[in-house]
Amino acid sequence: MTELHPDLLLSPAVADALARGRPVVALESTIVAHGMAWPANLDTARRVEAAVREEGAEPATIAVLGGRLAVGLDDAALSALAQAGPSMLKLSTHDIPYAVALRRDGATTVAATMRIAAMAGIRIFATGGIGGVHRGAQESFDISADITELGRTPVAVVSAGAKAILDLPATLEALETAGVPVIGFGTDAFPAFYSRESGLKAPIRLDTARDVAAMLNAKWRLGFPGGALIANPIPAEHEIAKSEIGATIESALADAVRQGIGGKAVTPFLLGRIVEMTAGRSLAANIALVLNNARLGARIAVAAAG
Ligand code: PSU
Ligand code: MN
């Protein structure tokens, strides 16, 4: 096995799985601390880890703890993170050196989780939704560093597409420019998180975990930088149709503008407002799609390892 970076702190279970070449799936911690409220966040994080194990892979939830890049959290660490919630730092890639130097704790976004996963040798990562190009980005320049990271770090991210709080056509364009393959899993449509369809087409369609693993192996064998986005639609029974959630999203966006929410507070604010406005229905959808993505991530990791 290759030498591990000295700033990494692997759990015994993750270290063992990596040493044996067993499948491992990275999981992010911003969705736990900032994406869902206590106590649903802890319950979901535990269920997501269990779903990965059921499919035969080892879950590796990633966070920064005391300045160490923690890969694989025990239940005490996961509980502490969930309970701390929004009081945790939200760390994107550019924040990691600060958190390491000052020995801080922080939750990692998709971008930061990808970077740390790659340092540990993990290639598959499952989450809910990625960040992307925000509506009004032509004025605000608010484009998530998740896109940048997908363009340069070799980790495949399984997500339910990207949320309609974003500018989805612009997000797909930005992914294309960054050289990121975007795969509709079992669908021709690019999914929009709560909804199975966004009205946009997925650039590529694949139907099996084996084909996804083969595509990833091909990309990396060719020596191309960056990862891929596996867009996995929410299970039909939990979907909130685009026509139904559209007005809620518009109203959450208007609230953000009115309250002057900016920068890294935007995504958590919008998610929270949508949960309030749908009286929890969007939370149930969010939980269902994360579990679905965890299972697919594990199946891809198993296919890639086998
Ligand atoms: N989308 C979700 N739930 C989340 C996030 C995105 O449905 O919790 C989080 C992820 O951690 C993602 C981050 O990386 O928000 C994007 O934040 P920003 O837009 O500030 O880059
Ligand atoms: Mn942003």
Side-chain angles (χ1 to χ4, degrees), residues 134 142-144 263-264:
H134 281 263
D142 190 350
I143 301 175
S144 176
K264 59 172 70 186

Side-chain angles (χ1 to χ4, degrees), residues 1 10-22 24 58:
M1 214 183 89
L10 270 56
S11 72
V14 169
D16 182 69
L18 288 171
R20 291 169 193 269
R22 284 194 48 232
V24 178
E58 184 63 35

Side-chain angles (χ1 to χ4, degrees), residues 130-134 143 147 150 159-163 166-184 188-192 197-204 229-231:
I130 61 158
V133 180
H134 281 263
I143 301 175
I147 304 269
L150 278 161
S159 91
K163 229 176 279 75
L166 300 170
D167 181 334
L168 292 180
T171 298
L172 280 177
E173 291 294 345
L175 286 163
E176 180 190 291
T177 303
V180 181
V182 176
I183 289 103
D188 293 316
F190 183 65
E197 296 184 4
S198 59
L200 300 165
K201 269 190 59 112
I204 307 170
L229 181 65
I230 319 303

Side-chain angles (χ1 to χ4, degrees), residues 92-106:
S92 186
T93 306
H94 67 97
D95 302 302
I96 294 176
Y98 157 80
V100 167
L102 276 78
R103 308 220 167 92
R104 301 288 307 265
D105 293 340

Side-chain angles (χ1 to χ4, degrees), residues 195 240-248:
S195 323
I240 310 178
K242 213 176 127 219
S243 54
E244 232 181 307
I245 195 80
T248 304

Side-chain angles (χ1 to χ4, degrees), residues 28 30-31 35 90 108-111 128-131 134 144-146 163 193 263-264 267 271 286:
E28 60 151 316
T30 290
I31 189 174
K90 174 183 164 184
T108 49
T109 64
V110 168
I130 61 158
H134 281 263
S144 176
D146 293 355
K163 229 176 279 75
F193 203 76
K264 59 172 70 186
T267 299
L271 293 175
N286 202 342

